[in-house]
Amino acid sequence: MQNALGKLYLIPTTLGDNANPLEVLPISIKNTIEHLNTFIVENEKTARRFIKKITPEKAQPSLKIFHLNKFTEASDLPTFLEPCLQGIDVGLLSEAGCPSVADPGSDIVKIAHLQNIQVVPLVGPSSILLALMSSGMNGQGFAFNGYLPIDKHERKHELKRLERLSSDHNQSQIFIETPYRNNKMLDDICNTLSPSTLVCIACDITLPSEFIKTKTASEWRKNTEDLHKRPSIFIIHKH
């Protein structure tokens, strides 16, 4: 019966270690983690550290942890939800922000739906939406494009393609980069896009070092921000 199954809770985390969890997350996160002992996580060490911050009194040895990352075999994923089939609730923890959004957790959620397991999303920070909210760009029409190509020539070609899409459809284009390549990405943005194209950079969102600014590509060329190893969201829009 449906009501005999455990639920899959999608549990957002903070966007960085410097954030106080209880300042950026609702009390529902703490209440949920308190009653869960089974978790699906990307990195066990950081997940346990987060759980410890949220619920210091929780006995860590009692936790059952499943690992979901680039090394996980697809054939193993259904086994992560076996506790739900036995009536045990399971928490899916993101490494940063919201599970399943720019995150491998979507594969688990898909399986949960196939198995009639109730999926319960909890409120928490999404760097993508927070960046869009604070960019001043089109919140009615936008697209998230994930990572752009690593190859410099291909990346510049993709930037021009996204710029054309933005202009043709009045659609803000959002993308991310590996933090240690952020400065190279900003250089390519400045040297590839039209001078009047708007560019928003939102980095370290919700952290004490938070920086969010929207300027034209030409303005960014004159005054750049050091983004090295700082988690960042890039948004472009050409009118």
Side-chain angles (χ1 to χ4, degrees):
M1 294 176 61
Q2 174 67 30
N3 59 8
L5 299 177
K7 299 175 183 178
L8 177 65
Y9 287 89
L10 309 187
I11 304 174
T13 63
T14 56
L15 295 174
D17 289 337
N18 293 332
N20 182 336
L22 297 182
E23 287 184 0
V24 297
L25 298 170
I27 194 65
S28 58
I29 301 292
K30 177 178 173 65
N31 293 340
T32 301
I33 289 178
E34 281 179 346
H35 97 268
L36 294 177
N37 285 304
T38 304
F39 296 91
I40 302 168
V41 308
E42 191 170 347
N43 181 297
E44 181 170 351
K45 183 178 179 180
T46 55
R48 285 184 179 274
R49 186 165 63 238
F50 172 74
I51 292 169
K52 185 75 172 177
K53 282 185 178 180
I54 291 287
T55 56
E57 68 282 0
K58 196 169 193 64
Q60 291 276 335
S62 67
L63 303 182
K64 184 173 184 179
I65 304 289
F66 294 99
H67 300 94
L68 176 61
N69 51 46
K70 62 183 180 180
F71 302 110
T72 307
E73 296 289 341
S75 58
D76 291 337
L77 298 185
T79 66
F80 296 177
L81 292 174
E82 286 181 358
C84 289
L85 302 180
Q86 300 165 10
I88 299 171
D89 293 337
V90 173
L92 174 62
L93 267 176
S94 177
E95 184 70 4
C98 294
S100 303
V101 180
D103 178 271
S106 56
D107 293 331
I108 288 292
V109 176
K110 180 179 180 180
I111 294 170
H113 285 296
L114 291 173
Q115 295 184 344
N116 268 340
I117 294 167
Q118 183 179 349
V119 177
V120 183
L122 299 180
V123 174
S126 164
S127 59
I128 298 166
L129 288 180
L130 290 172
L132 180 63
M133 286 164 57
S134 54
S135 69
M137 297 188 189
N138 190 356
Q140 301 275 359
F142 56 90
F144 176 65
N145 300 277
Y147 292 92
L148 303 195
I150 295 176
D151 178 82
K152 190 177 184 70
H153 176 75
E154 293 178 2
R155 185 166 62 246
K156 287 188 173 183
H157 178 79
E158 182 65 4
L159 282 169
K160 293 301 291 184
R161 188 186 73 85
L162 294 178
E163 186 180 47
R164 287 194 300 271
L165 276 176
S166 177
S167 178
D168 292 345
H169 302 287
N170 188 29
Q171 186 182 66
S172 298
Q173 301 295 326
I174 309 170
F175 50 92
I176 54 178
E177 180 54 283
T178 303
Y180 68 85
R181 288 200 292 261
N182 278 340
N183 285 337
K184 290 182 179 179
M185 172 63 79
L186 181 54
D187 286 342
D188 285 339
I189 288 172
C190 291
N191 294 316
T192 303
L193 301 183
S194 299
S196 61
T197 294
L198 289 175
V199 179
C200 177
I201 297 173
C203 74
D204 294 341
I205 299 175
T206 73
L207 304 182
S209 56
E210 178 180 87
F211 174 87
I212 303 172
K213 196 73 177 177
T214 297
K215 300 189 288 189
T216 64
S218 64
E219 289 171 331
W220 278 114
R221 291 191 193 108
K222 303 171 188 174
N223 182 23
T224 59
E225 178 79 5
D226 184 8
L227 307 175
H228 187 57
K229 292 188 177 180
R230 299 170 70 186
S232 302
I233 301 288
F234 300 89
I235 313 176
I236 64 173
H237 196 118
K238 182 180 181 181
H239 292 283

